[in-house]
Amino acid sequence: MLAELALDYPLPKVILEHRGLSKLKSTYTDKLPQMINPLSGRVHTSYHQAVTATGRLSSTDPNLQNIPVRNDEGRRIRQAFIAARGNRIVAADYSQIELRIMAHLSQDKGLLDAFAHGEDIHRATASEVFGVALDKVSGEQRRSAKAINFGLIYGMSAFGLSRQLNISAGEAKKYMDLYFERYPGVLRYMENTRQQAAEKGYVETLDGRRLWLPDIKSSNAMRRKAAERAAINAPMQGTAADIIKRAMIAVDDWLEQQNNDAVKMIMQVHDELVFEINADVIDSASQQIRTLMEGSMQLDVPLLVEIGVGDNWDQAH
DNA sequence: ATTCAAGGCGCG
DNA sequence: AAAGCGCGCCTTGAAT
């Protein structure tokens, strides 16, 4: 609301800027220093393994899974997370893991192919939906395709897409129809998921974690639709959680076996593992981390891990 | 002084 | 009438 007004008037823009800075100050700049443990000189989060509906971890006191990253002011907070002398921060992120899981679960030919060939998935989607060659996709088209891909993971409707892209409902519906025409396996997967959720009352991840959906047969359409969106999202979000949990166990086993104290796994942020690693072993350790994470589960598409190194957490991205 | 809900917003 | 999944924390205002 304010964001729309901010496009045309200075006051709402200033209010939004104030809110953003005020959020950074109250939640991070003022709070994190208070939470430094005097014995270690560090902040220590608590991870909770039985909180979320999908199988993700959650993080509290402080939450280290929502440290700013999306703009420059916020990233200054992230730059305060630094490695001890002689060490570096290494961040290892799964690339597009939920879309890869969607490709695997749906067995959609086009999606499987795109990932098999290592294509930029949003560009590939734009190429299909807008009917242009891969190298002729405009920035605008790629942005739209990205919104469609994310929307699909969340069970978004044409209306939601129209809001997201600021286009008419009809235009949005056209995009989605075109998408499902190009990726019919995805459409079939969405329909099957809704149907199975209704039949069984739950959906599950590749490792068999179940999300029960008591509202899936509700006579209240709003609640039923919400349950359907959760049903569509949970197998993807939850399987991603299965995969990174397996990876964390594999990494821990590796470090344990060789009494490796040059590598410390210090944070998990849903599709990312953060390490503090002795500078002398960065390359070999990174290689092993990549191997363990990418091999955590065997899907019909490759899993890809992007690794960054830096003196602080921001640089490691 | 503490608890709760709502609005808002940080992240994947 | 609502409309995009999953979290946790801050502020505000009201209730206990």
Side-chain angles (χ1 to χ4, degrees):
Chain A
M1 196 72 221
L2 266 183
E4 287 176 37
L5 291 171
L7 298 176
D8 296 321
Y9 304 98
L11 178 58
K13 185 159 175 237
V14 173
I15 292 173
L16 285 178
E17 283 166 7
H18 180 272
R19 280 192 190 162
L21 294 171
S22 158
K23 175 93 175 181
L24 293 181
K25 181 172 189 293
S26 62
T27 307
Y28 305 102
T29 314
D30 288 346
K31 278 299 181 319
L32 288 174
Q34 296 174 9
M35 307 203 59
I36 295 171
N37 181 306
L39 296 179
S40 65
R42 296 176 172 223
V43 291
H44 303 267
T45 187
S46 297
Y47 287 110
H48 306 277
Q49 209 168 358
V51 168
T52 70
T54 55
R56 279 185 172 182
L57 303 185
S58 80
S59 162
T60 65
D61 308 299
N63 181 357
L64 295 186
Q65 291 179 323
N66 71 344
I67 299 301
V69 72
R70 292 177 188 173
N71 61 55
D72 289 332
E73 308 87 65
R75 272 200 289 274
R76 293 176 63 188
I77 308 287
R78 192 166 281 239
Q79 287 160 13
F81 288 74
I82 59 175
R85 190 189 311 282
N87 289 48
R88 314 288 292 283
I89 300 293
V90 174
D93 286 78
Y94 282 108
S95 160
Q96 305 294 355
I97 189 164
E98 292 186 7
L99 281 174
R100 288 170 194 272
I101 292 164
M102 185 164 88
H104 176 89
L105 293 176
S106 70
Q107 288 291 304
D108 180 273
K109 183 83 168 39
L111 219 46
L112 290 172
D113 271 1
F115 281 122
H117 297 135
E119 283 171 25
D120 171 338
I121 192 62
H122 302 314
R123 175 173 294 277
T125 302
S127 166
E128 291 288 350
V129 170
F130 300 110
V132 298
L134 273 174
D135 58 357
K136 290 284 191 295
V137 170
S138 71
E140 169 83 16
Q141 290 171 328
R142 188 180 182 281
R143 257 195 46 246
S144 301
K146 186 173 176 179
I148 294 173
N149 280 331
F150 271 99
L152 285 165
I153 290 172
Y154 300 148
M156 186 169 60
S157 65
F159 176 87
L161 184 65
S162 75
R163 293 288 312 259
Q164 175 75 31
L165 295 179
N166 200 18
I167 57 179
S168 74
E171 194 78 359
K173 169 123 179 14
K174 212 172 69 191
Y175 288 179
M176 292 196 58
D177 286 347
L178 234 73
Y179 179 93
F180 285 132
E181 224 173 272
R182 302 300 181 204
Y183 300 97
V186 176
L187 178 59
R188 192 168 7 98
Y189 170 71
M190 302 282 167
E191 290 168 348
N192 284 347
T193 301
R194 285 194 192 87
Q195 189 189 332
Q196 299 217 348
E199 283 169 9
K200 297 179 178 169
Y202 65 83
V203 292
E204 60 188 1
T205 67
L206 277 181
D207 273 342
R209 179 190 307 277
R210 290 180 185 177
L211 174 68
W212 290 87
L213 298 153
D215 277 349
I216 197 71
K217 288 185 166 176
S218 173
S219 55
N220 179 327
M222 196 177 77
R223 299 180 69 143
R224 193 174 60 247
K225 289 287 180 195
E228 286 177 2
R229 292 192 298 271
I232 284 171
N233 176 259
M236 295 183 268
Q237 185 182 129
T239 297
D242 293 344
I243 288 172
I244 198 166
K245 282 178 172 179
R246 285 176 175 270
M248 292 171 78
I249 293 168
V251 168
D252 185 60
D253 285 347
W254 162 54
L255 297 176
E256 189 81 10
Q257 270 171 32
Q258 55 174 56
N259 270 323
N260 187 331
D261 61 353
V263 178
K264 294 192 173 62
M265 180 161 58
I266 59 177
M267 288 187 279
Q268 189 258 38
V269 192
H270 309 306
D271 65 352
E272 168 185 12
L273 296 179
V274 182
F275 298 85
E276 185 178 26
I277 302 184
N278 189 299
D280 297 332
V281 301
I282 295 283
D283 286 347
S284 61
S286 298
Q287 244 186 342
Q288 180 65 9
I289 287 165
R290 178 194 305 284
T291 299
L292 293 172
M293 287 178 73
E294 291 183 346
S296 166
M297 198 183 283
Q298 217 51 51
L299 300 185
D300 294 332
V301 289
L303 288 179
L304 215 74
V305 170
E306 292 171 348
I307 295 186
V309 182
D311 291 325
N312 64 60
W313 192 8
D314 180 45
Q315 275 179 12
H317 279 271

